[in-house]
Amino acid sequence: MVDIKEVAENIFLIDNQLYSIPNWGSVYLINEERKALVDTGPTTSVNSVLDGIRKIGVKPEDINYIIITHIHLDHAGGAGALIKNTPQAEVVVHQKSAKHLVNPERLVDSFVATMGEHMMAKIGPVVPVEKERMKPVQDGEIIVLSDAQKLRLLDMPGHAAHQLCIHESRNNGIF
Protein backbone atom coordinates (compact mmCIF):
# COMPACT_ATOMS: atom_id res chain seq x y z
CA MET A 1 0.00 0.00 0.00
CA VAL A 2 1.36 3.38 -1.01
CA ASP A 3 1.88 6.11 1.57
CA ILE A 4 0.75 9.66 0.95
CA LYS A 5 1.05 12.72 3.14
CA GLU A 6 -0.20 16.30 2.75
CA VAL A 7 2.99 18.33 3.27
CA ALA A 8 1.49 21.78 2.58
CA GLU A 9 -1.92 23.05 1.55
CA ASN A 10 -2.95 21.07 -1.56
CA ILE A 11 0.51 19.50 -1.92
CA PHE A 12 0.84 15.77 -1.37
CA LEU A 13 3.95 13.64 -1.07
CA ILE A 14 3.53 10.23 -2.72
CA ASP A 15 6.00 7.53 -1.69
CA ASN A 16 7.06 6.17 -5.07
CA GLN A 17 8.70 3.07 -3.57
CA LEU A 18 11.98 3.95 -5.32
CA TYR A 19 13.92 0.73 -6.01
CA SER A 20 11.07 -1.09 -4.17
CA ILE A 21 12.17 0.53 -0.89
CA PRO A 22 9.42 2.23 1.16
CA ASN A 23 10.09 5.89 2.08
CA TRP A 24 13.19 6.08 -0.12
CA GLY A 25 11.87 8.33 -2.88
CA SER A 26 8.87 10.51 -3.57
CA VAL A 27 6.97 12.56 -6.09
CA TYR A 28 4.54 15.38 -5.34
CA LEU A 29 1.01 16.07 -6.49
CA ILE A 30 -0.12 19.69 -6.47
CA ASN A 31 -3.89 19.36 -6.31
CA GLU A 32 -5.51 22.57 -7.57
CA GLU A 33 -8.10 23.33 -10.29
CA ARG A 34 -5.36 22.19 -12.65
CA LYS A 35 -3.13 19.43 -11.34
CA ALA A 36 0.62 18.99 -11.54
CA LEU A 37 2.83 16.08 -10.62
CA VAL A 38 6.44 16.92 -9.73
CA ASP A 39 8.72 14.13 -11.03
CA THR A 40 7.72 10.54 -11.79
CA GLY A 41 10.40 8.31 -10.34
CA PRO A 42 11.60 5.45 -12.55
CA THR A 43 9.32 3.22 -14.61
CA THR A 44 9.27 0.69 -11.76
CA SER A 45 7.57 3.36 -9.60
CA VAL A 46 4.72 4.19 -12.01
CA ASN A 47 2.15 1.88 -10.40
CA SER A 48 2.91 3.29 -6.93
CA VAL A 49 2.57 6.84 -8.25
CA LEU A 50 -0.75 6.03 -9.94
CA ASP A 51 -2.01 4.36 -6.73
CA GLY A 52 -0.98 7.45 -4.74
CA ILE A 53 -2.75 9.81 -7.14
CA ARG A 54 -5.94 7.76 -6.80
CA LYS A 55 -5.60 7.52 -3.01
CA ILE A 56 -5.56 11.34 -2.87
CA GLY A 57 -8.87 11.26 -4.75
CA VAL A 58 -7.59 12.42 -8.13
CA LYS A 59 -8.00 10.52 -11.37
CA PRO A 60 -4.77 10.10 -13.38
CA GLU A 61 -6.64 11.42 -16.42
CA ASP A 62 -7.13 14.73 -14.54
CA ILE A 63 -3.37 15.44 -14.32
CA ASN A 64 -2.50 18.46 -16.51
CA TYR A 65 1.27 18.66 -16.04
CA ILE A 66 4.11 16.31 -15.20
CA ILE A 67 6.96 18.62 -14.23
CA ILE A 68 10.42 17.07 -14.35
CA THR A 69 12.98 18.67 -12.04
CA HIS A 70 15.84 16.95 -13.90
CA ILE A 71 16.11 13.94 -16.19
CA HIS A 72 18.10 11.55 -14.03
CA LEU A 73 16.29 8.23 -14.27
CA ASP A 74 15.36 8.03 -10.58
CA HIS A 75 13.40 11.28 -11.06
CA ALA A 76 12.18 11.10 -14.68
CA GLY A 77 12.71 7.56 -15.99
CA GLY A 78 8.99 6.80 -15.67
CA ALA A 79 7.76 9.85 -17.60
CA GLY A 80 7.11 7.95 -20.85
CA ALA A 81 5.23 5.16 -19.06
CA LEU A 82 3.27 7.51 -16.78
CA ILE A 83 2.14 9.80 -19.59
CA LYS A 84 0.27 6.85 -21.12
CA ASN A 85 -1.99 6.91 -18.03
CA THR A 86 -2.41 10.70 -17.96
CA PRO A 87 -3.93 11.44 -21.38
CA GLN A 88 -4.24 15.22 -21.02
CA ALA A 89 -0.89 15.84 -19.31
CA GLU A 90 2.07 17.65 -20.81
CA VAL A 91 5.59 16.81 -19.68
CA VAL A 92 7.22 20.07 -18.57
CA VAL A 93 10.99 19.87 -18.74
CA HIS A 94 14.02 22.16 -19.04
CA GLN A 95 14.57 23.10 -22.67
CA LYS A 96 18.09 21.59 -22.57
CA SER A 97 16.80 18.12 -21.71
CA ALA A 98 13.56 17.64 -23.66
CA LYS A 99 15.34 15.82 -26.50
CA HIS A 100 16.60 13.17 -24.04
CA LEU A 101 13.08 12.25 -22.95
CA VAL A 102 11.93 12.04 -26.57
CA ASN A 103 14.90 9.81 -27.40
CA PRO A 104 16.26 8.36 -24.13
CA GLU A 105 18.89 6.09 -25.72
CA ARG A 106 21.89 8.23 -24.70
CA LEU A 107 20.44 8.73 -21.22
CA VAL A 108 20.00 4.98 -20.74
CA ASP A 109 23.45 4.16 -22.17
CA SER A 110 25.06 6.67 -19.81
CA PHE A 111 23.16 5.26 -16.83
CA VAL A 112 24.16 1.67 -17.64
CA ALA A 113 27.81 2.69 -18.16
CA THR A 114 27.87 4.45 -14.79
CA MET A 115 25.58 2.33 -12.63
CA GLY A 116 25.52 -1.07 -14.35
CA GLU A 117 22.85 -3.40 -15.73
CA HIS A 118 21.78 -4.49 -12.23
CA MET A 119 20.69 -0.91 -11.44
CA MET A 120 19.00 -0.56 -14.82
CA ALA A 121 16.80 -3.52 -13.83
CA LYS A 122 15.70 -1.48 -10.78
CA ILE A 123 14.80 1.46 -13.04
CA GLY A 124 12.87 -0.53 -15.63
CA PRO A 125 12.54 0.20 -19.34
CA VAL A 126 12.65 3.90 -20.23
CA VAL A 127 9.80 4.67 -22.62
CA PRO A 128 10.20 7.72 -24.88
CA VAL A 129 7.84 10.67 -24.40
CA GLU A 130 6.07 11.76 -27.58
CA LYS A 131 7.43 15.11 -28.77
CA GLU A 132 3.87 16.48 -29.05
CA ARG A 133 3.37 15.90 -25.30
CA MET A 134 6.52 17.83 -24.31
CA LYS A 135 6.57 21.41 -23.04
CA PRO A 136 10.20 22.57 -22.97
CA VAL A 137 10.56 25.58 -20.66
CA GLN A 138 13.12 28.17 -19.68
CA ASP A 139 13.84 30.28 -16.63
CA GLY A 140 10.95 32.36 -15.32
CA GLU A 141 8.05 30.68 -17.09
CA ILE A 142 4.85 30.41 -15.05
CA ILE A 143 2.23 27.66 -14.95
CA VAL A 144 -1.11 28.71 -13.46
CA LEU A 145 -2.90 25.93 -11.57
CA SER A 146 -5.48 28.18 -9.84
CA ASP A 147 -5.89 31.79 -8.70
CA ALA A 148 -3.95 30.92 -5.54
CA GLN A 149 -1.35 28.59 -7.08
CA LYS A 150 1.11 29.71 -9.68
CA LEU A 151 4.29 27.78 -10.35
CA ARG A 152 7.37 29.76 -11.39
CA LEU A 153 9.97 27.57 -13.08
CA LEU A 154 13.55 28.47 -12.26
CA ASP A 155 16.69 27.44 -14.12
CA MET A 156 18.90 26.19 -11.28
CA PRO A 157 21.88 24.24 -12.57
CA GLY A 158 23.69 22.41 -9.82
CA HIS A 159 22.96 18.73 -9.27
CA ALA A 160 22.29 18.69 -13.04
CA ALA A 161 22.93 21.31 -15.73
CA HIS A 162 19.30 20.98 -16.81
CA GLN A 163 17.77 21.29 -13.35
CA LEU A 164 14.53 23.16 -12.67
CA CYS A 165 13.37 24.39 -9.31
CA ILE A 166 9.71 25.26 -8.86
CA HIS A 167 8.45 28.08 -6.67
CA GLU A 168 4.82 27.52 -5.69
CA SER A 169 2.87 30.60 -4.65
CA ARG A 170 0.16 29.20 -2.33
CA ASN A 171 2.56 28.12 0.44
CA ASN A 172 5.63 30.05 -0.75
CA GLY A 173 7.49 26.75 -1.10
CA ILE A 174 10.18 25.49 -3.41
CA PHE A 175 10.78 22.13 -5.08
Side-chain angles (χ1 to χ4, degrees):
M1 178 173 233
V2 67
D3 286 331
I4 61 166
K5 179 179 0 178
E6 189 168 11
V7 294
E9 187 176 353
N10 295 352
I11 298 177
F12 295 85
L13 177 149
I14 300 171
D15 177 6
N16 69 356
Q17 303 281 311
L18 182 63
Y19 307 130
S20 299
I21 303 169
N23 303 311
W24 186 255
S26 60
V27 302
Y28 295 88
L29 176 67
I30 306 172
N31 189 15
E32 298 282 343
E33 292 164 30
R34 297 179 61 82
K35 292 153 186 6
L37 191 69
V38 177
D39 285 340
T40 66
T43 301
T44 53
S45 290
V46 167
N47 287 334
S48 294
V49 172
L50 290 168
D51 288 346
I53 291 168
R54 289 183 192 105
K55 189 173 179 181
I56 293 164
V58 173
K59 296 180 206 161
E61 50 271 13
D62 291 337
I63 302 293
N64 302 98
Y65 302 100
I66 297 171
I67 305 172
I68 303 300
T69 58
H70 63 292
I71 61 169
H72 294 165
L73 297 183
D74 58 331
H75 286 259
L82 189 62
I83 197 96
K84 294 180 182 309
N85 294 281
T86 56
Q88 70 172 337
E90 291 181 287
V91 175
V92 177
V93 64
H94 194 290
Q95 63 185 353
K96 290 180 183 175
S97 55
K99 65 184 177 185
H100 297 294
L101 291 182
V102 172
N103 180 2
E105 185 177 343
R106 230 175 104 196
L107 192 59
V108 170
D109 289 348
S110 176
F111 183 86
V112 170
T114 305
M115 304 298 289
E117 289 288 344
H118 71 287
M119 285 303 291
M120 193 64 215
K122 293 180 182 217
I123 293 291
V126 179
V127 178
V129 176
E130 298 165 5
K131 189 174 185 176
E132 305 78 48
R133 307 259 332 252
M134 297 291 295
K135 179 179 176 59
V137 295
Q138 55 190 347
D139 185 53
E141 289 193 41
I142 295 175
I143 295 173
V144 177
L145 299 181
S146 69
D147 288 343
Q149 184 61 284
K150 295 169 183 62
L151 307 178
R152 179 179 299 275
L153 305 172
L154 305 166
D155 184 2
M156 292 287 181
H159 176 65
H162 55 271
Q163 182 172 304
L164 288 174
C165 285
I166 305 158
H167 175 261
E168 58 87 16
S169 62
R170 179 183 291 279
N171 305 288
N172 196 29
I174 235 164
F175 295 90

